[in-house]
Amino acid sequence: MIAANRSHINARDSHSMIQTKRILLLEDSVLLNGMIEEFLAVNCYEVVAVSNGVEGLRAVLKEDFDFIICDMVMPKLPGNLFYLSVKKMKPHLCSRFIFITGHACNPKINDFIKQVKGTVLLKPFQMDDLLEAVTFVQVKTPSDRNKTSKV
């Protein structure tokens, strides 16, 4: 009986030691926003989902995120201006961006993503491709992940 209780405590302690990665998701399509949020939650990510860049800035001001998935074309503040705002406020987050867009032929968007050397997924994409992009960004991002903090 004591051994069973001890293993239960160890399992709980080891689970609490696993840090859930937090993702800020900016997507103005309610349907796509919900699908991505649900998919990432099922894959053990904690997601803060917003529908535009202004809401995204409010979230970034409150805390840092391990990853930022950002649509390029949104109302109020598009993805490129959101990124540039984050760059001024919290430049350490810029390497954590994954841009998503359905505008593959837009030269302004393509030039911006090339300029910032961004990771991009073209809509429509498979959800598994999103997980691969998150893994790619995690590998290429400097090891400041442990500094994720709330302000």
Side-chain angles (χ1 to χ4, degrees), residues 2 34 51 62 79 129 139 143:
I2 293 173
S51 62
K62 289 180 186 174
D129 293 337
V139 168
S143 61

Side-chain angles (χ1 to χ4, degrees), residues 97-116:
F97 271 74
I98 299 167
F99 297 102
I100 56 177
T101 186
H103 301 273
C105 297
N106 184 318
K108 183 178 177 183
I109 290 173
N110 291 333
D111 290 345
F112 171 78
I113 291 172
K114 285 178 189 172
Q115 177 187 357
V116 300

Side-chain angles (χ1 to χ4, degrees), residues 80-94:
N80 61 334
L81 296 180
F82 171 74
Y83 175 91
L84 294 172
S85 298
V86 170
K87 185 176 179 181
K88 287 181 181 178
M89 297 182 311
K90 295 187 175 184
H92 63 282
L93 296 180
C94 288

